[in-house]
Amino acid sequence: MLLEAPEGQLSAVGRALSAVSVLCQVEPVGRWFEAFLKRRDRNVSASFQELEDDEELSEESDNEELQLEEFPMLKTLDPKDWKNQDHYAVLGLRLLRYKATPKQIKAAHKAMVLKHHPDKRKAAGEQIVEGDNDYFTCITKAYEILSDPVKRRAFNSIDPTFDNSVPSKSEAKENFFEVFSPVFERNARWSKQKHVPKLGDMSSSFEDVDAFYSFWYNFDSWREFSYLDEEEKEKAECRDERRWIEKQNRAARAQRKKEEMNRIRTLVDSAYASDPRIKKFKEEEKARKEGEKKAKADAKRKEQEAKEKQKQAELEAVRIAKEKEDEEARQQAQLAKKEKEIQKKAIKKERQRLRTSCKNWNYFSDNEAESVKMMEEVEKLCDRLELISLQSLNEELSSCSKDDGKSAVERQIQEVNAQIKKEKEEAEARMRQASKSSEQSSGGGGGGSKHYPEDDLQLLIKAVNLFPAGTNARWEVIANYMNLHSTSGIKRNSKDVISKAKSLQRLDPHQKDDINKKAFDKFKKEHGIVPQVVDNAAPSERFDGPDALAWTTDEQKLLEQALKTYPVNTPERWEKIALAVPGRSKKDCMKRYKELVEMVKAKKAAQEQVLNAAKAKK
């Protein structure tokens, strides 16, 4: 810090001053912060007090520059009709209106008072009307309303100069933005939110347009209509009357508020329907959705094609596997046939060898009768013995004497006869047991007079399998089925059928086998099937017949599924069905289908007859 030089002397600096170091950072607050912002915005350096003085001077200059527009009809106004008057025009603020500041309203009122006060006019020699009937009362009332924020807001809400009209769609057909933009800007004065989005132009983005219409569809208006209340509750004589007046006023305000919101909604709907940007956005959205739909359809089509190709590949693989399996089965069948032929030739050779050996020794007897008997026994050996036994016997006969050979043959004959006798006794015992059980079941069931022949037993077994448990009126249907197809002429009822079915369930498995064997023998006789030559060398092939072609449950399910998968109009239907059922040919599938059709027809006929009989009883 420099010291002040004595009087009459000059101060001198011997060297440059060092920079002032800032010890702490100071930030303005309160009114000093406001002054700091004003200085920064105005790019000036001044104190807070200087800025306030400048602001007051600018306001005073504004008031001085305020030009009032004299209302020509002012002197003709009726003070009693103050509610229908334009208060801004009364004070000379017709152009500023709702934009006028409180200070401008105060200055306008001051100017009007200085000019139109009754004392001023009386001093000028004008005749003054005594009381409140003078037009000066309208000036006082206008200032009273416009100086009060609540009353001024109510008057602004029903501003008589405001245009409430809504453009139609036809008006905005070609110049949409020129027609609707001023209307939205005009109605934006009613919004509670300060920042109201603009209508924009044709280049506005979808987000801006969506934000604009979202704002106006959810428009929050401060406009209220209390100024138009027909009754003033202050004039009421009692509390009940005030409540009634307030209730009527609330209802009227709500109705006007509803009409105002309907007007805003109509404006927004008209603009939305006429907006060319909305049409453009909808077309773009439609094109996008169509593109997505097309892409989805293409993807689905490609997926379907891939599935079809995969399915064709699987069918081709199944067909190749089927052909390979059939080829292997054919080769195995040929091999088995060759082996069978070889075995058959070997058996034939051994039989001939046995006959020759016995013939060379004259069947081990010199007596002709005994020789014939021995010949029959040798033939029995040829029929009953297997290949290994024949080979062993022939080997023994080729290396022994006549007596030893006779002993070997006789020993073998005894074994075969004993086996035949045993089988015969077992068969007779089973038949006796079956006959005895049949008689007992017939007597116990109350149907002893109705004997069951073998054909009826077989027909009963077939009917029980044809109509399983769960069939409606099952036992009546079974009895009717037997009466239709039985050749014995005996009429059966449901009780007889139930009793016999229960007795068959208790039968020994061997007895059931005998019944089934008899049924098979009958089938062979009826269809003229020539039984194959029984060969001791292949006992497992002794009963080749329809039972070997019986359909299993799995094969039946595969056939039913294939019939559903390949309908009647499918080309090469039965070839595809045969491929779907392993181990079955086209002929087998067609034959099984016919059998199923016949079974269904028989079931329907039996059930219809039972229903008809029931209806006849009613």
Side-chain angles (χ1 to χ4, degrees), residues 3-126:
L3 297 176
E4 184 178 358
E7 185 177 354
Q9 297 182 5
L10 298 174
S11 298
V13 179
R15 59 185 178 88
L17 296 176
S18 61
V20 179
S21 60
V22 180
L23 298 179
C24 61
Q25 185 176 1
V26 180
E27 295 183 357
V29 295
R31 60 194 182 113
W32 294 275
F33 179 72
E34 183 180 1
F36 167 74
L37 292 179
K38 291 180 179 180
R39 288 197 301 272
R40 187 188 65 182
D41 295 339
R42 299 177 185 179
N43 197 16
V44 295
S45 177
S47 64
F48 176 79
Q49 187 63 36
E50 291 173 348
L51 292 173
E52 283 189 341
D53 295 341
D54 292 342
E55 186 174 355
E56 289 180 0
L57 290 174
S58 62
E59 290 178 356
E60 290 178 1
S61 61
D62 291 341
N63 293 336
E64 292 175 358
E65 295 175 358
L66 178 63
Q67 295 180 358
L68 301 179
E69 183 181 0
E70 187 72 23
F71 185 45
M73 305 296 293
L74 178 61
K75 294 182 180 182
T76 62
L77 295 178
D78 184 5
K80 297 179 180 180
D81 193 26
W82 62 269
K83 215 168 194 178
N84 297 322
Q85 297 171 5
D86 186 355
H87 301 302
Y88 286 110
V90 170
L91 294 181
L93 301 173
R94 187 179 63 85
L95 298 178
L96 289 177
R97 306 198 69 79
Y98 70 93
K99 296 180 181 179
T101 63
K103 291 184 178 180
Q104 289 175 335
I105 294 173
K106 185 176 181 181
H109 177 255
K110 183 177 181 180
M112 297 298 290
V113 168
L114 292 175
K115 186 175 181 180
H116 297 282
H117 194 275
D119 294 341
K120 292 283 185 179
R121 289 185 289 135
K122 187 175 182 180
E126 183 179 345

Side-chain angles (χ1 to χ4, degrees), residues 594-612:
K594 291 179 180 179
E595 292 177 357
L596 293 175
V597 171
E598 294 297 330
M599 290 172 63
V600 171
K601 288 181 179 179
K603 289 175 68 175
K604 287 184 178 179
Q607 290 175 346
E608 287 178 359
Q609 189 164 357
V610 171
L611 291 174
N612 293 334

Side-chain angles (χ1 to χ4, degrees), residues 285-502:
E285 181 68 14
K286 183 178 179 181
R288 184 185 65 80
K289 288 184 177 180
E290 287 180 355
E292 291 179 355
K293 186 177 180 180
K294 184 178 179 182
K296 188 176 181 180
D298 292 341
K300 188 175 181 181
R301 178 177 55 79
K302 291 180 180 178
E303 183 181 359
Q304 189 68 23
E305 290 177 356
K307 288 183 179 179
E308 289 292 334
K309 289 181 180 179
Q310 184 179 1
K311 186 176 180 180
Q312 292 295 335
E314 291 177 356
L315 291 175
E316 184 66 18
V318 171
R319 186 185 65 79
I320 294 173
K322 179 70 174 176
E323 291 179 353
K324 185 177 179 181
E325 184 180 353
D326 293 343
E327 181 64 22
E328 291 177 356
R330 187 180 62 80
Q331 292 178 358
Q332 291 178 1
Q334 290 180 354
L335 183 60
K337 185 177 180 181
K338 290 180 181 179
E339 292 178 355
K340 185 177 179 181
E341 290 177 355
I342 294 172
Q343 191 177 20
K344 188 175 180 181
K345 291 179 180 179
I347 291 176
K348 187 176 180 181
K349 182 179 179 181
E350 294 299 328
R351 289 173 178 172
Q352 188 63 34
R353 184 179 173 187
L354 177 60
R355 293 188 186 100
T356 305
S357 298
C358 294
K359 185 178 180 181
N360 291 336
W361 283 333
N362 197 19
Y363 296 99
F364 308 103
S365 178
D366 295 333
N367 189 353
E368 185 177 354
E370 293 179 359
S371 297
V372 172
K373 185 178 180 181
M374 182 60 71
M375 187 185 300
E376 293 177 356
E377 296 295 336
V378 169
E379 289 298 325
K380 189 185 295 183
L381 291 178
C382 291
D383 292 337
R384 299 285 295 186
L385 293 181
E386 297 180 358
L387 179 60
I388 297 175
S389 300
L390 287 172
Q391 290 176 348
S392 177
L393 181 58
N394 287 329
E395 291 295 330
E396 187 177 356
L397 291 177
S398 63
S399 61
C400 67
S401 61
K402 181 178 180 180
D403 294 336
D404 294 336
K406 182 179 180 181
S407 300
V409 171
E410 289 177 351
R411 185 175 63 254
Q412 198 69 43
I413 290 172
Q414 291 177 359
E415 293 178 1
V416 169
N417 289 334
Q419 184 179 1
I420 292 173
K421 183 179 179 182
K422 183 179 179 182
E423 292 177 357
K424 186 176 180 181
E425 290 176 353
E426 290 177 355
E428 291 176 353
R430 287 196 298 270
M431 292 299 293
R432 287 195 299 271
Q433 183 66 25
S435 177
K436 184 177 179 181
S437 299
S438 178
E439 291 176 358
Q440 290 178 355
S441 61
S442 299
S449 60
K450 297 183 179 179
H451 178 64
Y452 274 84
E454 293 181 0
D455 293 344
D456 286 3
L457 288 175
Q458 296 161 10
L459 189 60
L460 176 60
I461 295 172
K462 181 179 179 180
V464 169
N465 294 326
L466 186 61
F467 302 99
T471 304
N472 189 20
R474 182 191 182 195
W475 296 107
E476 288 79 359
V477 173
I478 292 174
N480 187 36
Y481 180 82
M482 291 187 64
N483 293 334
L484 288 175
H485 296 85
S486 176
T487 57
S488 63
I490 302 175
K491 297 298 181 180
R492 313 286 180 182
N493 55 29
S494 59
K495 292 183 179 180
D496 296 337
V497 172
I498 294 173
S499 176
K500 193 61 180 178
K502 289 182 178 179

Side-chain angles (χ1 to χ4, degrees), residues 271-282:
Y272 188 86
S274 305
D275 197 336
R277 299 170 298 180
I278 300 298
K279 297 179 181 178
K280 183 183 72 171
F281 294 148
K282 286 183 178 180

